[in-house]
Amino acid sequence: MCGGCCRRRRPAGASSGAGGGRGTAALAVAALAAAAVVAFLEGTARGVSYVSDGWFHDSVRWDAEGGRFLVTTMTDGRVVEVRGGGAGAGEGKEEARVVVADHGAAGRTATGLALDAARRRLLVVYTDLTPWFGYAAVGAYELGSWRRLFLARLDGPGDSTLADDVAVDEDGNTYVTDAKGNKIWKVSPDGEPLSVIKNATFFQRPGWINNFVGLNGIVYHPNGYLLVIHTSGGDLFKVDPKTGSVHVVKVQGSLKTGDGLALLSPTRLVAAGLVSRLVESNDDWETATVTGRYVGPAHRIGSAATVKDGDVYINHIIGFGFGFGKKTHVISKAVFAPL
């Protein structure tokens, strides 16, 4: 006989129910904490917020004459313009307007963006993402009318590439980075592929983890060379576009995960990323030092930088919203904390 002990035992479901209650409470607390963190980070997004189709927007450039930000959309391979927006991610937001939707690059991803102000044109990089990596091109469009001037294919038969970012020199030549193949394509002002810059120096560290994303952000320096960042390796390169020679800039401080670049002045460079950095050089980019950092809305992931009226603005890849509707996107005004 059990002597009544069975009646004193906790029912089989009671323990799990209590545990389940504690688990639910823990999840609720975690969700509230996560929401609080996101709300705080959203509050750091001072700058411009706007609504647009698609979850992912990559590159940004400020067009001073047009009074607008131009942004590439990764989902549908377009370029949108943003003329205003609220002071932060939670403020009143305008809707972005599509200005470039090239049927010749339909179905591709738009990544890099460069403004050729001297010729009043916009350069846009198109690519395929995983698992294809089989298409790379750069297009040029007349600012204002958005008429296509050229669309140049860069990939060759059997190539595995990831066309990423773009810069333009004073003669109108275009330079496009390959983040998968660690090379730079050079294209003439008329859209003719001219050459490819390859150099063993681009491979500074062995192992896939240090080469998962290779050459990425690129800018043309007024002294006649290119500055290019290697995202996974964190290296900064000074490249002579005429000879193809490559110099590793000795940087004090980390540039790991650096993405898009923008020149704030001949001696100051911004590297956007999950953590955006301000980099300075006093010897024509033989050496450099990371002198400031900016985090902002880190959950949105910084991807590109541009300069407007002397201030730095960081574009963030990830948009937020519910369902299949338009998403809220942020171009935050960066204030760098000195290091």
Side-chain angles (χ1 to χ4, degrees), residues 65-290:
E65 186 171 325
R68 60 199 163 195
F69 290 99
L70 298 168
V71 187
T72 53
T73 70
M74 299 178 72
T75 309
D76 54 15
R78 299 179 178 185
V79 178
V80 299
E81 70 170 12
V82 182
R83 289 187 173 273
E91 307 285 339
K93 296 174 281 291
E94 77 164 46
E95 185 166 341
R97 185 175 77 91
V98 175
V99 292
V100 175
D102 194 328
H103 296 295
R108 312 298 179 180
T109 292
T111 50
L113 203 61
L115 192 67
D116 186 358
R119 295 161 189 81
R120 297 301 299 155
R121 61 179 188 162
L122 184 71
L123 288 308
V124 184
V125 176
Y126 299 100
T127 193
D128 276 338
L129 298 181
T130 180
W132 302 281
F133 298 119
Y135 180 94
V138 61
Y141 306 89
E142 186 178 74
L143 284 168
S145 73
W146 306 111
R147 177 176 64 91
R148 185 213 283 172
L149 302 174
F150 65 76
L151 180 64
R153 284 289 295 270
L154 304 174
D155 58 285
D159 277 358
S160 181
T161 64
L162 176 53
D164 200 309
D165 211 346
V166 57
V168 60
D169 67 20
E170 73 275 7
D171 296 323
N173 296 302
T174 299
Y175 303 89
V176 179
T177 55
D178 179 1
K180 196 169 187 295
N182 279 330
K183 61 180 181 287
I184 302 170
W185 291 284
K186 181 178 180 179
V187 178
S188 77
D190 298 324
E192 179 186 354
L194 296 176
S195 61
V196 179
I197 301 173
K198 297 181 179 180
N199 197 298
T201 308
F202 291 145
F203 298 87
Q204 285 291 297
R205 293 168 177 80
W208 71 269
I209 194 68
N210 292 315
N211 294 282
F212 185 67
V213 180
L215 298 185
N216 195 336
I218 183 171
V219 292
Y220 181 77
H221 194 280
N223 288 349
Y225 51 82
L226 302 165
L227 292 172
V228 191
I229 196 168
H230 190 292
T231 295
S232 293
D235 300 296
L236 184 66
F237 301 106
K238 179 180 178 180
V239 181
D240 186 329
K242 294 183 173 64
T243 65
S245 65
V246 179
H247 166 73
V248 181
V249 180
K250 295 180 176 61
V251 179
Q252 183 177 342
S254 175
L255 291 179
K256 282 271 191 179
T257 72
D259 196 336
L261 300 180
L263 272 178
L264 187 55
S265 74
T267 62
R268 304 170 81 199
L269 177 74
V270 176
L274 186 62
V275 176
S276 296
R277 286 99 163 188
L278 180 63
V279 192
E280 300 188 43
S281 174
N282 58 12
D283 59 3
D284 202 29
W285 296 98
E286 293 297 304
T287 65
T289 302
V290 178

